[in-house]
Structures are given as C-alpha cells and as structure tokens.
Amino acid sequence: DSEIATVLRVKGLLEFRCQLDSTDEQLVRNVISRTFETLRSQVKSESCVLAVSDSPVIIWPNKDAYATPEEITPSTLCEDMHQWIQADEQESSGKKSSKKKSKKSSMSVINLCLMTEVTKPGPLSAPILTKTVLKSHFVNVTLPLDCVVCTGRSNTIKDACEQLIEALTHQLCEMEKVTLQNMKGMTLLVPEPVHFLLPEPKGLVTVVYPVGVPDSQLVAQRKELHEQFELPDDRPYFRRANAYHFPNEPYKDGYLRNPHLALTHPTLDNGKVYLVQGIYSYHHYMQDRVDDNGWGCAYRSLQTICSWFQQQGYVERPVPTHKEIQQALVDVGDKQASFVGSRQWIGSIEVQAVLGHLLGLTSKILFVSQGAELASKGRELANHFLTEGTPVMIGGGVLAHTILGVAWSETTGQIRYLILDPHYTGAEDLQVITDKGWCGWKGPDFWDQTAYYNLCLPQRPKVI
Amino acid sequence: MGRGYIVQDDVEGYLSKLCEQKADPVTGLLIGQSSTQRDYVVMAIRTPQKEESAAAARNSVDKEWVTEHARQVSRMLPGGLSVVGVFIITDADAKDALTTLRQVRVMLTLSSSGLKAWAHQIESGLCLIDGKRLPEDSELTVGQRRNVRQTYTAQLLITTVRDENKRLTDVIQQCGGSVSVTGAIHSRAYLHSNKPKARLAEKLLKRDVVSTVATRVQMMLEELLASDQESKGKLFCLPHRIFCPLKVSGPLCVCDYQFSDEGLSEVTERLKEMLDIDAAEEDLDTRQETTFEITGCDITPGGHRDMHACVLCPDCPPFCCLGVAMATAVALLATAASMLYLNDI
C-alpha cells in the first residue's frame, strides 16, 4: 500500500556574476568559489522567497516558514497545499481517460518558484555608484536551479522549507564542482541539473551536467553514478534522454506517451503480464501531415520503435520520416532509388534493415508460417519483454502492428497480446484510442490464422 | 468631445492669481494622474523665467523651455504623479494658443541602457500589498469607507528573467572596468481615490522604483562628466530623495534629490524655482533615506558586490495621507544591475 508522495519542485534562475582581474588559475578558482558562496548565502537569507506556482501562496523559508495568505502556517501539511493551487489544465498531448485510473500510486507535484525580495522596512542607506577602471574579465552566467524534494504525509511546510533550502544549497555546491571541473582557461561551461527516476526505492535523483557536453563524453561520470546507486552496467539510466518527465509537464511534440498505461491488464490463470519497459510515442496514420492511410502501417510501427530507442537514450537521432526510412533502404541497397517518395509497403525485414542502418541496432526476426502458431510463442515473447523490453513490430497478411506486451500463462498456455495499432487515423485522444481498442489487449484470434507472419524483435545495446 | 478633469480647489486659486499677472502669455504645467475616463489635476506650475530671456521673448512661448521644464519637473514627481497637461493664459486668440500648446511635446525615456535589464526584472516582479498577493482586478479600497486615510505597504519579489538572446559563448567577456549601483531607495506612489485597482498600484509603484534610480544615476553621470573626474575604484554617493508636502495638511508630496555636498537651502530653492512651492526647511521630510556611511566594506575587484551597510535611524512615525490611497515601499538594490564597459585606458 504505497503512499502517494507529494513532490516539491523548486525552480529558479540565479545570476552568477563576478569580475576576474587576473588570469592566474588559482585566483580565478578562488573567485568562482567565493561567488558560489555568495549565492549560497543568498539562498539562506531572509530575502529568499518561494512562490507556489498557480496559487497566491508565498513562503519565506528562512523566516521560520512565514507565509501569505495568513491561513497557511508553518505547521500546515504539505499535501494541504493542493487546495490552494488552481486545477491543472488538460495536457496538450491528449485528454485524460477519466474512467480508467492507473492502480499504481502516482506522484503529485507542487511547483515552486525561487524569488528574491528586494524590499525591506526602511529607512536604509541611500544608493552609491561604484566605478572601477581595470582591465578584467566579467563573468555573467544564469544558473538554472531545479531541485526536487519528496515529502511524506506528515511533513509540514516548515519541514519542507528546511529540505528545500538544503537541496538548493547542495545543488549550488554540485554546480560549483562541475563548473570548476570543466573550466579551461577562460572558458566556463554552464552547469544544469537533470532529474532521473531510478527504480524503487531510490526514487528521484538529480545530477548536475555541464551544458553542451554530449552524453558520449560523460561516460566516466555515468559509470560513477551507476556504482554509487548500484545499478546494472548494461543499460542507461543517466543519459540526458533518460531525464524524468514530470506528470504535469506537457510533451511539446504532441505525441501520446505510453497509452497502454491507461488500460487494465488481463488476468489469466497462473498467468503473468510482460510489458515493454520504458517510454515510447504512439505513431500512426495521418500524423505529421503525411497521408499514409493504407500503406504506411509498418513505417509507423518502425517510428514507434525508433521513439523508444530515442527516449531511453540509446540514440540521439530523432524519429525518422517516411522518406528517411525509404532513403535508408536505398542506401543499404535493398531498394531502387525510385522507392523514395513512393507508397510502397515494407515488412519486418525492411524494419530490421532500417534499425540497423539508421540507428545501429541489431534485431532478431521470428517467423511463423501460420497465424495460428503465434499462440505458441508465449514464452519467446515473454522472454523478449523481460530481457529486452523493446516494442515488437509484426507484419503479415496485409497488415503491420506493434506488440507492446503479452499476458501468458505457462500452465494453461492462455495468451493475450497488447497491440498498438498504427492504422488509427484520428487525433491524439487517449480516451478514444483506449476505448476503441487502437491500443488494447487482443486474443489469439486477432491474427489471420492462415497467413504467415514475421516479427522484428529489436535488441537493446548493452551500454550505459 | 472633451475629457473630464477633476481639479483641486487650490489649483483654481493658483491659476486665478496667474491671470492677474502682467506677463502674457503665461504657460505652465498641470500635474496629476490620468485614468481612462478622466484626469485628476492636483497642481499647476507656471513655467519659470529663463535667465537670459530678452524682452521680446517674454511675449511668445518658448516651447523648448516649456518642454525642458516638464522634463525636470518629472524627475521631482513620485509615482502616480506626472505631467498631464500644459496650460496657457493669454489674451490672444484662443486658436493660436491651442496651436502653440499642441507643439509642446513632453517625452520621458529611460535613457540609461545599463539599467534596462534591472528595470525589466522590476517590471516583471511580483508585488505584495500589505503582505498579500492580490488578484489584479481587485480594488484596493474594498471594504473601506471613502475618504479614509489609506496607506499601503508594498513588497517586491523578483526573479531573474532568462535572456533568450544570450548565447552560451557570452559567459565571459573582456571589459575595461565596471560601474555598479548598490544601496536602497525609498519608492512611493499615489493613487486617485475613485476605486483604484491593485493592478494600477503595482504599475505605478514599479514605475517609480525604476525612475527614481534612473534619475539619480543620470544625475550622477551628468555630474561626473561635468567635473571630469578620473580615478580608480571611486565611490560616489548618489543623491538621496527628499519629500516635500504640497500642502501642509495634505498627503501628497513632491520630491527632490539632494547631493551630499548640498544643503537643504538648495533644495528649497529648487522647489521654488521648478515647482513654485514655498517650503521651509523644516517642512522637508529627510528621513526616508539616509546618507551612506562607508563602514570599511571590502571592495576588491572581483570580490563581493553586495554591501548591506544599513545605517539605522531612530524611529520614524508611520506615514499617512488623506483622501488619496497611497502605496509606499523601499526597494533594495543589493544585486546591482548597471554594468557599463569602459574603453581600455
């Protein structure tokens, strides 16, 4: 019976400013450290203010959690803050299914903004203007602070403030470390925090990375993190693409993510459910202003697979277009040049070829001579989802689909397939997609019993 | 088709007195606050005599001088008060007079570009009135009787606004020096008493914060240019703000800036010349801001920039006013914003 945790996320920009009148490395490092120390003092000062987003609530964390409006006291529970927050607008990536609620307890996130109060009761001393004439370097960086703190049921505002201020100061220390580590002469890299959701019980973890340095140059850091958090060393957890996507943040590209999570999974006697691991986007007919109705189903399934590899951090390349897919097949010699721009179908073998050529991935092909045989492939599919966890493309007859999971009973042999159907032509409406079965569980009779099928099972590279 | 004006009684008296004067034409400024429906005029000020004015010039309107007067007067008005109009008293043809008036253009711009980023931060900031965040459309005097003295304390919360134009490579730049402004200012705005909205109070207050700093920096830079001082690491005290009530019993105040080497008599002189106000030194409110005392702060290049040298003052009585809702605030400039790059010398 897991608790629904309230996660407090505080974001804010802090100006890092200093003047360097010497290029001597040690002196420069001293100045940078001193400037970070100033920022840490700022965060611990009475002028530091936390404004709760979408609400009139403002808290002074270093003034014993004094807050406005006056109904909020230091002993108010964090979870009671929700009543002050304006209801979230519907996500732009689709309407939420109100009927089907995920059984898994989800996080509720309260967003806060880090601000500075610039007023004080008077009178105070009048302003002065300081002028220096000195050849120097002026450093001006905007640091993007972004901290998360998990609170339990009984945590009060006062507790939360202590945790938040500590998280902010700690993050500034991390930023100082990363800045000094990546300093080369008179060039500085901006440190930026990224959040990752690790498997339970570790939860949300924040890592500070230098902006602009690609994942390929950060292998040593990731190795350290894998050791620190005792994570397997053959799959990525800390690539930038693995960054946790907070529930109330809409996806800018508009595609639905993991529509299967809205479904209730079948229960079979002695059966277990084996699902795709991680995040994929739902690609289907008519998206991206491409009218591929009637011929593009395998292309869309391939796009769904590519989106999985991109969002798990294995590739940086964005999801390929129909033309790019066709060009790849021409480049490997599988098709003639006239193939590009045509409306020709492709099958599992072509999918395997494109995954190899564009994304550098290997895939296994599974062949069944009759659709009826698919019912006996429970073990193989279950194993695939257990070890690789990637979406599977299946092509046969005149159709292509994506298999996202199986429900299979070892004893009774009963089997169900979780299908993502690329033939859908409508809008990104989760309700419609799940209600009408465009993403849904199907029985063995879903397949054409006499047609032959090829399945493409993409293999996960063993890297971090 | 005209706009409604609500004019204070003494303005009428002032204008009547001007009518009795021999000079023709007499021009001047109307001071007050504009709202969408009407203008509130609280003060009229005759254009001061220009020193070198020849006899001939006295019979015509010196438009540039009227404009310059308006520019200088604007510096002496706290938030909410501004030049809302120009008047002309003349026996000449009314049409000519109107034409002349239209040619007088008053413009106020924020010229100090170094302060623009800071000004943007202030303008985007959150304003709390009496410790609360009010919905923008709410009225300030809700639940209060009319004509009751109202003073509101305001607080300003700011964040850094991300500059989309700044490239990652702009992180370190070479420069020949720096100019920075730190310290605290007292900011104030007045509101008409006819159901003023929280949104208006916030806007006027923020405008006053930005303009009082910009005015002082401008004045200081003008001084520096004039005196041609060349020195390294020098500290210059910006002039501090002094308030002077329009009427002995009234809440409305105008202000002036006193440099550290000036006496109060210079202030009263300026008030007479620019605003035609007869004020005695004891009428002036000098307690809102105090002179900066250098308490041995370390100002090493590349070192800290925050200098919270607060000089504590003996208790000041709370400020109150009559008839017009007012907001007061003190703005802290600890995170200085003005950086000017001087050429290599």
Side-chain angles (χ1 to χ4, degrees), chain B residues 106-158:
Chain B
V106 180
M107 274 204 328
L108 235 179
T109 52
L110 186 68
S111 56
S112 189
S113 59
L115 289 174
K116 277 207 171 112
W118 172 79
H120 185 45
Q121 262 190 322
I122 296 289
E123 277 151 24
S124 331
L126 240 171
C127 194
L128 301 179
I129 296 181
D130 276 350
K132 286 201 190 67
R133 190 178 175 180
L134 297 176
E136 289 198 328
D137 277 339
S138 63
E139 288 173 11
L140 270 189
T141 46
V142 165
Q144 311 285 352
R145 293 176 319 175
R146 298 187 76 197
N147 297 327
V148 169
R149 298 168 188 245
Q150 291 291 346
T151 303
Y152 301 88
T153 309
Q155 287 164 281
L156 263 181
L157 311 174
I158 60 169

Side-chain angles (χ1 to χ4, degrees), chain A residues 361-405:
Chain A
L361 302 167
T362 52
S363 320
K364 288 199 181 137
I365 297 288
L366 190 62
F367 171 78
V368 296
S369 52
Q370 291 182 92
E373 271 178 57
L374 277 167
S376 63
K377 295 296 175 189
R379 185 183 301 279
E380 279 193 74
L381 287 170
N383 273 339
H384 169 82
F385 287 112
L386 270 178
T387 54
E388 306 302 324
T390 59
V392 171
M393 177 265 176
I394 178 168
V398 292
L399 301 173
H401 290 92
T402 311
I403 304 179
L404 297 174

